[in-house]
Amino acid sequence: MNILKRITSDTRFPSLGLALGSACVLGVLVPGAVLWLAHLHATFGIDIHARLKPPTFAHWLGTDPLGRDTLAFSLVGAVNSYGISYLSMVLALGLGTGLGVLAAAAGQKTKIIANGVVELGIAFPPIIIAALLVTLCGAGVVQEICALAIFFIPGFVRLGQQAAANIYAQDYIAAARLSALTPWRILLRHVLPNMVPGLLVQFSVNVALAMLAETGLSYLGLGAPPPLPELGRILASYQVHIYDHPHLVAVPGVVVVLLVLGTNMVGDGLRDRFARQEHIS
Amino acid sequence: MTELLAVQNVSFSRSGGRGNTRPILKGLNFEVKPGETVAIVGQSGTGKTTLAHILAGLMPPTSGSVRYKGVETQHLAHRQNRSLRPDLQMIFQDPYSSLDPRQTVSAIMDEPLWARALDDGQKQKRVSDMLHALALPPESLGRRAHEFSGGQRQRIAIARALVGYPSLVIADEAVSALDASAQARVLNLLLEQQQQTGLSLVFISHDMAVVQHMAHRVIVLADGAIVEEGPTGQVFANPRSAHTAALIQKDLWKDTNV
């Protein structure tokens, strides 16, 4: 894919942020994914006799109130939380950008509908949306993903509409029309490819924001229901021990910070890289 | 019907919000014959670019009609007229906006040829002839538009307009972004194409020297209306309106000062 090549093969601008950000995210997610796969077969050993143990060679950061390995449990939670944020952003990107591009390409009516979606969406914070969905359909992964996606759709509608409208105003679109290209072909050949860099940046920044929102939801118990570990709920369950075992809360806390910060740095790094490429060439 | 493009009573107004409309073009009538170059001159802000877009069928006039071979240009993209659509091409003013920055030159050259019944060999030959005529090296085919300078981009845009065997090209300030030698090359190429294929040109410009060199007929536009129309020699030698005289004078004055 051409955009991947633009990001990876371009060594003119070595980016510290991009490298550091990727390291933070991958450093959490790669071991997390390995543990997550192992966790599929055997549930985390709850061992009441080994609860709240200090760090050992077997359990690097000790065990939690139910005798589970604190670090491993948090890493698995991180994979779940990140996966949920990521999927919800894929959903929001697809639906939001799709509606935005349609609004830019089509007539006034679609524009009014898109604006309505934006105004309506902005009026509801994610907690209200999630609470509503949980009340109506019960708690679950799907509901959580939908709640996050609904909250982020308006932003993508707006971005998609602006970016597409900008491109539709360019003379090369007029030239394509003069060459008898159909509107559909113009969309696929000219409009979407030129939107990719902007969307990619917005996407990665929004994954970080969604990650924060997701942690908040699961902290409040509006996320996926228990056996599935999620960072927010892990944090909430460790919080009772903040006076006797303060290091416990720090583990999921630091994991959240690493993921959000790392993802943000990747987003910023991408933005810089694209901006400089446009500028130089 | 001898004319290629017939412009009848074309008006255009822009809505300024709150029900206000601002007239841009006021009841224009003229025609373009096959093989003819018609220059449209006037100061900036007289609606020349708007007229170019309407002539090309990129937007509909508020009233009146523009017909190419009897078909309204705004309907050229309809399915039943689609084979006519690439006949009418345009060279845009801004070489940065007129090329998709991430397309390669070869992809850009391909688009006007899609609707043409030519085999791949003929297409390649035509594209390389065009690049050669505009002094673009053959290896530029694989490079992307954003890698070229403004002047090079304008030449690529001109090549794109000419590559698909158009019968009418609307050139909106096509050469003002080019230096003198590139300008001469492009103008000569346009004249050459005209002799070979009977190409018609609508040449929109504020550069009176270029207009004098290129055009058979001149239309002078002021405030969205035609103030003078006639054969180039006659308009330059003996302008009937004060506005035209001023345009020519200003240009000569500029030339003597350079």
Side-chain angles (χ1 to χ4, degrees), chain A residues 38 47-48 153 170 193 214 240 248 271 280:
Chain A
D47 185 356
I48 301 298
I153 281 175
Q170 301 289 319
E214 196 276 344
V240 261
L248 268 182
R271 188 200 332 253
I280 293 246

Side-chain angles (χ1 to χ4, degrees), chain A residues 2 169-172 174-183 185 189-190 193-194 281, chain B residues 56 58 82 85-86 89-90 92 97-103 107 111-112 114 146 160:
Chain A
N2 164 35
Q170 301 289 319
D171 285 341
Y172 58 80
R177 288 170 61 198
L178 293 180
S179 295
L181 266 70
T182 57
R185 255 204 164 131
R189 226 176 126 84
H190 293 287
N194 280 298
S281 45
Chain B
L58 289 170
R82 196 152 270 173
R85 176 71 276 187
Q89 289 292 318
M90 188 164 163
F92 298 89
S97 168
S98 70
L99 300 178
D100 184 342
R102 48 161 297 288
Q103 265 194 322
E111 281 186 6
W114 270 357
H146 70 81
R160 172 183 59 192

